Amino acid sequence: MKASAFSYTRASSVTDALKLLAQYGDDAKVLSGGQSLMPALNLRLSAPAWIVDIGAIPELRGVSVSGQILRIGALTRHVDILKSPEITQHAPLLSEAMTHVAHPAIRNKGTLGGNLAHADPASEMPACVIALDATIVVQGQSGERRIPAADFFTGIYETVLAPGELLVAVEMPVKRPHSAHFFHEYARRKGDYAMVGLGASAVLDGDMFAELRLGFFAVGEKPLLATASKHLIGKPVTAAVLAEAQAALDDELDPQEDQQATAGMRRYLARQLMARCVADMLGRPELNAGTAV
């Protein structure tokens, strides 16, 4: 199948892109890396009259550190994240998670901004940015909005991005002392969409969690920042405490059944991921005894 006929225009700057989006309104779709949009066009799941290509806007590329904030431009490709020493140093969760994103050909073209704006609930990056307490920076004709990542995703392929707005960057706090991270996903084959996945960040106080953010994906209509983490913070984690947290997580989940997994299987795998994550970050392998999958 081929895409429906559309008109194409390339923006030369953010200002130019915003003018084009204002001009074409709902008839326009934004093209960044194209790894999500092009398949949707070819399958005729999307049929815009206009494609606004932002791929040549240099101000949307690059990684920088200013004070305690790491900023990643929206057009920064997945492969650039993998190779960035700044991201490896200040947000190693992103570097580790990126090795699980699709395949090299897709990572060479796909962009972080495009991935987040697409808002696939089975995608790794949305869950990681909520785990890292990131801020999504968007720009429109009326100015800039800064949105907590946990509030950005609203449903399957849905965000709070308004018509005419452009996602321009992602910002997050740099890695703090005594911090830890965890990433794992269960997928039938490496590079496939996950059946269930978890990206997590924590600050440790001795052998306890001072802070813990658990970003689950592929367990509902959008990435989940699990509030069940509160059961694990500020206290010694025993098997009973972990079981209490797992029960609370189960109450939060609303997984769907599809060709990859039943809802029950997703619940089971999410509980196992929580145990694996806690055991790994605290250096307590006994908490994960018998749960490895």
Side-chain angles (χ1 to χ4, degrees), residues 201-263:
S201 68
V203 176
L204 302 178
D205 179 9
D207 58 356
M208 297 187 297
F209 290 113
E211 297 180 21
L212 176 62
R213 295 177 67 91
L214 303 172
F216 284 91
F217 56 100
V219 294
E221 295 186 345
K222 60 181 181 177
L224 171 70
L225 182 62
T227 61
S229 62
K230 68 183 181 183
H231 295 276
L232 300 164
I233 295 172
K235 66 178 76 170
V237 178
T238 63
V241 168
L242 177 58
E244 180 184 2
Q246 288 174 306
L249 174 66
D250 203 55
D251 289 339
E252 288 188 79
L253 299 177
D254 184 23
Q256 304 298 308
E257 180 172 347
D258 60 17
Q259 69 275 18
Q260 291 213 77
T262 65

Side-chain angles (χ1 to χ4, degrees), residues 68-70 72 91 94 129 132-135 170-174:
Q68 298 301 305
I69 297 297
L70 172 69
I72 307 174
L94 287 186
V129 295
L132 290 169
D133 198 17
T135 298
V170 182
E171 295 181 351
M172 61 199 73
V174 300

Side-chain angles (χ1 to χ4, degrees), residues 98-175:
M98 192 57 76
T99 65
H100 295 264
V101 174
H103 305 285
I106 291 175
R107 296 199 290 265
N108 286 337
K109 296 290 290 184
T111 65
L112 180 61
N115 179 280
L116 297 177
H118 186 56
D120 190 322
S123 182
E124 293 86 351
M125 288 299 108
C128 288
V129 295
I130 67 173
L132 290 169
D133 198 17
T135 298
I136 309 295
V137 184
V138 306
Q139 198 162 334
Q141 292 281 16
S142 59
E144 182 181 281
R145 282 203 300 152
R146 306 174 65 81
I147 306 160
D151 297 335
F152 184 72
F153 306 98
T154 56
I156 301 175
Y157 308 126
E158 293 180 349
T159 71
V160 297
L161 201 60
E165 283 186 326
L166 195 63
L167 194 163
V168 296
V170 182
E171 295 181 351
M172 61 199 73
V174 300
K175 179 182 176 182

